[in-house]
Every structure is written in structure tokens, then in C-alpha cells.
Amino acid sequence: MSQAPHPSTTTIADAPTTAEAETMAKYGIVHSTVNYYQLGDFRYTSLKDAVAQAKRTN
């Protein structure tokens, strides 16, 4: 299993280029970002879930 990046090295996704935005508009595609909470090798989309897992393992 590969190591997930350390939270301090996590990068923010780049916004679509102008050409990408035009293609997205043509097809009705939207761009969105997802925030993750990382605990060890696992990622959670909910802080509540990450905290619950941390409590179970400590």
C-alpha cells in the first residue's frame, strides 16, 4: 500500500484552464473540490468520522 501524502504536503487542486472551462460549459460539467481529513493512511470526508475513528484507536 502506498503512503498518502502528509497533510502538510497536501496541495489544492488547480482551477480549470480557460479551455477546460469552455469545454465544461459546453457539456454542462461542473468542477468541485473535496476536502479530506486524514488520519494515518485513511481519508475521511467528515471530521466527525475521523474523530470517531481516532477515539476508537486510542
Side-chain angles (χ1 to χ4, degrees):
M1 178 187 296
S2 64
Q3 285 280 52
H6 186 276
S8 66
T9 61
T10 301
T11 59
I12 297 173
D14 293 329
T17 64
T18 301
E20 291 170 334
E22 290 170 353
T23 300
M24 291 167 57
K26 178 179 177 180
Y27 295 106
I29 299 168
V30 297
H31 176 261
S32 63
T33 56
V34 177
N35 293 314
Y36 292 103
Y37 301 91
Q38 187 167 333
L39 176 64
D41 291 335
F42 298 95
R43 293 182 187 161
Y44 302 86
T45 55
S46 161
L47 177 58
K48 178 182 173 184
D49 291 342
V51 170
Q53 180 60 29
K55 287 179 178 180
R56 284 191 292 271
T57 58
N58 288 324

